[in-house]
């Protein structure tokens, strides 16, 4: 691997950090910064040569400092050098924090954790030393290089899985969608393909190929057979540059009475965290989610939701032709996460959890549907107009939108 070109500022900060404490060693500081001990030693020698100060004086003073005419060191120079050392340490900590912030996006993809760590190191090794990245993420450097070397083998497995998935889908379709993993495995083996049933289960799970179960769940809304796939435009980035640009929605249960349920559909603005639209009913038909979306459009006034993105899970209501037609009518672009992955709609899930926690307050259910409706209405009103939100700098969504509008007008 080619040696990295370190900036002059990086070298100066590294030398200052080494010289800031007589107990520091080339090995220890080099390990912290992701450089070899000999490289650090060379930089320190260059600093000694530049200043003309002996090594003992440099380590005793804590850094390379120019001597005064009388041979002493001024207090101003000492303070300046200490300040430079502190700034160097602060920059190092800030860089590590930035690395961890970037890495957080990799750890939410649903991949294996170690693979996500290694992928992050591979994507950023041209910006930061591999050794430093591995230390921050607490992974083995040798393990990373083994993972990188195994990339061709992983690509080959992926290609083989794609070929197997095509065969599985053909068998599944030929069985009118009834065969599960055991019968698909048997069909493959009869065709002369030696394959483990666990691999068949994994490929079917990843590709969303499901056999017919004896107790098929009842679905109140069936999506159109010719409905086009909807991409994930959010990809777990639950932020927005401005209000009324990106929304998320979900349906949640509201337990009432003796084993009964009401259902709440929500439309949350990711820019201001405002609950722009919502609907409560005693059913889960498509009109539950369309009513919530229409309420959000009415909340936004003349412009409505035109040009915005609405993200949801793959519930039958959101996959229905009726909901697609409403989105087209309102100028909304649909977005959906992966099947069976709640993390792809975490912002909406979190809102539902917060609502139930703060309204039920430890109880298992409301006494009646009327009590549940009133409690939810009161909470949503308070949430939008009074409840402080940490993501918004501890102000409520409505106030945040007002400030955003004021700033936009001033600009």
């Amino acid at each position: 691997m080619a040696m990295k070109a370190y900036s002059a500022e990086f070298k100066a900060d590294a030398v200052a950090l080494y010289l800031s404490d007589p107990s520091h060693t080339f090995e220890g500081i080099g390990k912290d910064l992701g450089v070899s001990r000999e490289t650090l030693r060379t930089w320190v020698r260059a600093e000694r040569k530049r200043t003309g100060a002996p090594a003992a004086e440099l380590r005793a003073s804590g850094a390379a400092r120019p001597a005064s005419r009388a041979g002493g060191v001024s207090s101003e120079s000492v303070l300046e050098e200490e300040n430079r050392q502190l700034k160097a340490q602060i920059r190092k900590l800030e860089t590590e924090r930035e690395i961890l912030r970037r890495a957080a996006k990799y750890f939410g993809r649903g991949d294996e954790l170690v693979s996500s760590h290694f992928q992050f190191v591979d994507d950023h090794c041209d910006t930061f030393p591999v050794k430093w990245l591995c230390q921050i993420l607490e992974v083995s450097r040798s393990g990373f290089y083994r993972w990188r070397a195994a990339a061709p083998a992983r690509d080959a497995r992926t290609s083989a899985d794609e070929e197997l998935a095509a065969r599985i889908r053909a068998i599944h379709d030929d069985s009118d969608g009834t065969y599960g993993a055991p019968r698909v495995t048997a069909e493959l083996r009869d065709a002369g393909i030696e394959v483990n049933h666990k691999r068949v289960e994994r490929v079917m799970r990843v590709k969303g190929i499901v056999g017919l179960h004896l107790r098929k769940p009842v679905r109140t809304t069936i999506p159109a057979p010719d409905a086009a796939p909807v991409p994930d435009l959010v990809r777990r980035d639950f932020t927005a540059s401005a209000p009324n640009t990106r929304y998320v929605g979900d349906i949640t249960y509201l337990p009432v009475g003796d084993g009964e349920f009401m259902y709440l559909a929500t439309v949350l603005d990711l820019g201001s965290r405002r609950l722009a639209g919502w609907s409560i009913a005693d059913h889960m038909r498509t009109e539950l989610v369309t009513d919530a979306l229409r309420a959000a459009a009415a909340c936004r006034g003349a412009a409505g939701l035109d040009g915005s993105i609405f993200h949801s899970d793959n519930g039958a209501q959101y996959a229905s032709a009726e909901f697609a037609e409403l989105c087209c009518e309102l100028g909304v672009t649909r977005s959906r996460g992966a099947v069976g992955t709640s993390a792809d709609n975490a912002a909406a899930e979190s809102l539902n959890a917060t609502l139930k926690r703060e309204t039920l307050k430890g109880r298992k259910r409301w006494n009646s549907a009327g009590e549940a409706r009133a409690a939810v209405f009161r909470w949503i009103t308070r949430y939008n107009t009074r409840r402080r939100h940490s993501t918004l700098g501890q102000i409520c969504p409505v106030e945040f939108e007002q400030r955003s509008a004021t700033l936009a007008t001033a600009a």
Side-chain angles (χ1 to χ4, degrees), residues 210-336:
V210 182
L212 179 66
H213 298 281
L214 293 178
R215 298 185 64 180
K216 187 176 181 180
V218 178
R219 300 170 64 188
T220 56
T221 303
I222 305 298
D226 58 348
V230 175
D232 184 353
L233 304 178
V234 173
R235 300 189 66 82
R236 301 186 183 181
D237 179 14
F238 302 111
T239 60
S241 58
N244 199 26
T245 56
R246 303 175 84 188
Y247 292 85
V248 294
D250 194 18
I251 299 175
T252 190
Y253 298 89
L254 303 176
V256 298
D258 187 15
E260 299 177 352
F261 294 95
M262 298 287 286
Y263 303 95
L264 170 68
T266 55
V267 180
L268 178 70
D269 190 320
L270 291 177
S272 64
R273 300 293 166 161
R274 180 174 183 173
L275 194 52
W278 56 282
S279 176
I280 295 181
D282 58 356
H283 60 79
M284 290 181 63
R285 294 190 293 274
T286 302
E287 63 188 76
L288 177 68
V289 297
T290 56
D291 286 348
L293 194 62
R294 286 193 177 95
C299 171
R300 289 310 183 191
L305 304 178
D306 188 31
S308 64
I309 293 174
F310 179 83
H311 181 80
S312 68
D313 58 21
N314 282 272
Q317 297 81 1
Y318 295 113
S320 66
E322 182 180 348
F323 185 77
E325 291 172 1
L326 177 61
C327 289
C328 183
E329 175 186 333
L330 297 176
V332 174
T333 301
R334 290 179 296 155
S335 170
R336 292 206 297 265

Side-chain angles (χ1 to χ4, degrees), residues 13-49:
D13 289 341
V15 172
L17 185 60
Y18 168 75
L19 297 172
S20 63
D21 189 332
S23 65
H24 285 167
T25 63
F26 291 118
E27 182 73 25
I29 298 301
K31 185 177 181 180
D32 287 342
L33 300 181
V35 299
S36 69
R37 56 180 296 175
E38 291 305 320
T39 299
L40 181 59
R41 189 194 302 274
T42 300
W43 295 345
V44 173
R45 286 173 177 169
E47 178 66 12
R48 287 203 296 264
K49 183 177 180 181

